[in-house]
Amino acid sequence: MFNKRRNEERVSVVPVEKVAEAVSEIVEVPEVADVIATPAEVEAAQPEGSTFNVKQANGNLKPSIISEGFEFIGEIRSAGYLTIDGVVRGTLALHSIQIGTSGVLDGNVTCDTMNVKGNFSGKLDCRDLTIGSRAVVEGDVSFKSITIQRGGVVKGDMRKKS
């Protein structure tokens, strides 16, 4: 009824140390000090006169989140996605931004797509803009396409780009 293995057919357990020894004989593992670059080495490797450049989106970027209760003041640049449920004040350049119902974004923003469910104020330049039913958008806004749900509030200058 039960299939019993003979002793020689049983799988043996190999200690981790022996596996590590076997792998290190096959593969050359660099020392950690060889992998880590100092800030001076990173700076020296950049072309002269260059500034921080955003890596192109390759589909592998994970979304970033500014959670409720969190406040960020400064500059954010990414080819990825950002969800804001907290407060962000500053300059943003991203592929896509979503402001949640509890989110507040105040600043100068450039993006491909923006979905506002909370509050936005400032200057916005985007391709596709969606304004939710409880959203408030104030400021200087330019867009290629816009969707405003019933109840969404818009104040300020709105310009459609050609």
Side-chain angles (χ1 to χ4, degrees):
M1 189 153 132
F2 293 103
N3 186 9
K4 294 184 179 181
R5 293 185 184 177
R6 285 181 269 157
N7 284 339
E8 57 268 7
E9 291 178 350
R10 293 189 184 199
V11 178
S12 62
V13 177
V14 179
V16 175
E17 295 80 22
K18 290 199 180 225
V19 174
E21 285 175 22
V23 171
S24 65
E25 290 174 9
I26 300 168
V27 180
E28 183 181 325
V29 180
E31 292 293 321
V32 174
D34 296 336
V35 178
I36 300 173
T38 65
E41 291 171 329
V42 172
E43 188 175 314
Q46 288 194 347
E48 192 173 313
S50 73
T51 58
F52 173 81
N53 291 320
V54 174
K55 186 175 154 184
Q56 292 297 317
N58 58 7
N60 294 338
L61 294 175
K62 295 179 181 170
S64 299
I65 300 171
I66 304 293
S67 301
E68 191 172 351
F70 189 87
E71 182 174 0
F72 178 86
I73 300 172
E75 183 174 355
I76 300 174
R77 289 186 276 181
S78 173
Y81 304 88
L82 176 65
T83 298
I84 301 170
D85 289 321
V87 177
V88 175
R89 300 182 198 291
T91 303
L92 283 74
L94 290 122
H95 171 69
S96 179
I97 300 172
Q98 176 168 320
I99 303 173
T101 54
S102 63
V104 176
L105 173 55
D106 180 13
N108 187 359
V109 178
T110 303
C111 62
D112 282 341
T113 60
M114 182 142 162
N115 184 357
V116 183
K117 295 178 181 178
N119 296 313
F120 170 80
S121 62
K123 183 175 181 181
L124 172 63
D125 182 14
C126 70
R127 188 185 71 218
D128 299 315
L129 175 61
T130 303
I131 299 172
S133 60
R134 290 190 252 155
V136 177
V137 175
E138 288 184 68
D140 184 12
V141 179
S142 62
F143 56 87
K144 277 200 171 202
S145 72
I146 188 170
T147 303
I148 305 173
Q149 294 177 351
R150 182 182 306 208
V153 177
V154 179
K155 303 175 188 174
D157 294 330
M158 303 289 283
R159 284 188 305 283
K160 181 172 171 58
K161 298 188 284 188
S162 53

